[in-house]
Amino acid sequence: MWVLVRRAIKGSQMTFVPVPASAAGERYGASVYRSEVRASLTALLIGVSATVLTWQVGTWWPQGYGLPYALAGSVGALAGLSAYNLYRRTGWDSSPGERTHAELTPRRPASFARQWVFALPLATALTLILGLVLTGLYSSADENGLHRIYQRRGLSGWGIEDGRVVDVQYNLSSTGPFPGWYYGVPVIISTVLLIIVVYWSLRRIAAAARPTSPGLFHLDTALRSLRTAFVMATSSAALAFQVAGLLAITGNVLRVSHLDAVPTADTFASANTVPVEPGHTLALIAILSSLVVAMAAAILLIKALTVVADLRFAEKKARTSDPWPA
């Protein structure tokens, strides 16, 4: 885990390539990267603000039974990435009379990072959707008809006659909040929307026009790589934050539900409880997994901040570097 933290804090290593004088390196490189820094910071500010606001709605709206809490991560990511895509940036300029060079290499949404960077978050999102479908199938309706509780047959009481346990009774017990259809359907919809917005963001990064000067191609490729890293880090952090919360809630409900009281003939002693397997073990696994996923979400958020730091570093290098002699 410490290795992951170090890699996240360290960020990506980007080698700055000097820009030919004909491309006016200071004007082009510095202004383009400065614009990207502003776009990234704006997206982070809007995303975090939307997440906090959605979280606050959960405290102001008790009738929502915590639904805003479940959606806070997705709402923040959707708002932040939408702002990131719509932010007007400084484009690559060309010197008057400069010849245009065409690049025939195709650029795709997955061209500017390793494949696992895209595959792992996508697999996580699909696993989340599948998990919510399963919890929805196992959920039950509460007194308001909302599928947000978990029911299980458990020991409800017993009688004592002549110092012996008799008349053991079982009944359905309800525990919540449980991520049934009431929470699952909105979260599934928001997760699908997040996948769409991430793909839209990556397509825009890949489809953006190349600079006309070949001397700027290295800078442009590095910029696209950093933009891709920012999109995947922020969206993956929001997704991990959402998964961690749902795992913690599900694990706690299963843990409470899979503890049965042991009948006792001692009227002065409190009944002991025993775990019911495999539900109790699954509950503990879910709770521990939520802690790991929460740490991953924090690391990914740090990664997004290091991308902004890399962009800022590139802007300073472009502003202070001397152009090559003509």
Side-chain angles (χ1 to χ4, degrees):
M1 183 61 68
W2 174 243
V3 174
L4 294 176
V5 173
R6 285 188 59 189
R7 291 184 61 183
I9 295 175
K10 187 177 180 181
S12 57
Q13 298 295 319
M14 188 184 73
T15 302
F16 181 79
V17 179
V19 182
S22 61
E26 179 179 343
R27 180 178 51 169
Y28 297 151
S31 61
V32 169
Y33 276 96
R34 185 183 309 116
S35 174
E36 192 62 37
V37 169
R38 293 172 180 172
S40 302
L41 291 176
T42 300
L44 284 174
L45 178 61
I46 292 177
V48 172
S49 300
T51 299
V52 173
L53 181 60
T54 307
W55 191 272
Q56 287 298 319
V57 170
T59 63
W60 302 333
W61 184 40
Q63 295 81 5
Y65 301 107
L67 179 59
Y69 299 144
L71 295 174
S74 291
V75 170
L78 291 172
L81 289 178
S82 297
Y84 186 71
N85 288 323
L86 297 177
Y87 190 94
R88 294 192 62 180
R89 294 170 171 80
T90 302
W92 296 108
D93 294 331
S94 58
S95 300
E98 186 176 15
R99 181 178 300 177
T100 301
H101 294 77
E103 186 184 39
L104 302 180
T105 304
R107 300 190 300 271
R108 298 182 177 86
S111 296
F112 298 97
R114 295 182 179 181
Q115 296 304 308
W116 66 266
V117 174
F118 310 103
L120 189 58
L122 180 60
T124 303
L126 295 178
T127 302
L128 172 62
I129 293 174
L130 177 60
L132 289 172
V133 171
L134 292 176
T135 56
L137 294 174
Y138 279 95
S139 66
S140 300
D142 61 6
E143 65 276 6
N144 298 317
L146 304 176
H147 281 257
R148 52 179 296 273
I149 62 173
Y150 178 79
Q151 287 187 332
R152 178 184 169 275
R153 182 176 179 270
L155 183 65
S156 61
W158 61 90
I160 301 175
E161 183 177 313
D162 297 330
R164 295 182 303 173
V165 175
V166 296
D167 193 21
V168 178
Q169 299 173 359
Y170 291 86
N171 202 351
L172 287 177
S173 61
S174 300
T175 310
F178 184 70
W181 296 123
Y182 175 71
Y183 303 101
V185 172
V187 173
I188 289 174
I189 293 174
S190 65
T191 302
V192 172
L193 289 176
L194 181 59
I195 294 174
I196 294 173
V197 171
V198 169
Y199 183 74
W200 173 45
S201 304
L202 297 176
R203 276 189 60 87
R204 284 177 59 87
I205 293 172
R210 272 287 206 188
T212 56
S213 172
L216 293 171
F217 282 3
H218 291 292
L219 284 178
D220 180 63
T221 299
L223 178 62
R224 292 175 197 262
S225 298
L226 289 172
R227 292 186 65 187
T228 299
F230 179 82
V231 169
M232 296 309 301
T234 52
S235 60
S236 298
L239 180 63
F241 171 76
Q242 191 165 263
V243 171
L246 291 171
L247 278 174
I249 293 173
T250 304
N252 185 62
V253 170
L254 293 178
R255 182 187 62 82
V256 174
S257 300
H258 288 80
L259 287 174
D260 269 356
V262 179
T264 175
D266 188 352
T267 57
F268 298 100
S270 58
N272 293 325
T273 58
V274 293
V276 180
E277 301 297 350
H280 191 263
T281 299
L282 291 176
L284 296 179
I285 292 175
I287 293 173
L288 293 176
S289 298
S290 69
L291 299 177
V292 175
V293 176
M295 291 185 63
I299 292 173
L300 288 167
L301 185 57
I302 294 174
K303 175 62 179 178
L305 294 175
T306 61
V307 171
V308 178
D310 286 343
L311 289 167
R312 179 64 176 163
F313 173 77
E315 179 217 335
K316 290 182 178 179
K317 290 290 290 184
R319 189 172 61 246
T320 57
S321 295
D322 294 326
W324 287 353

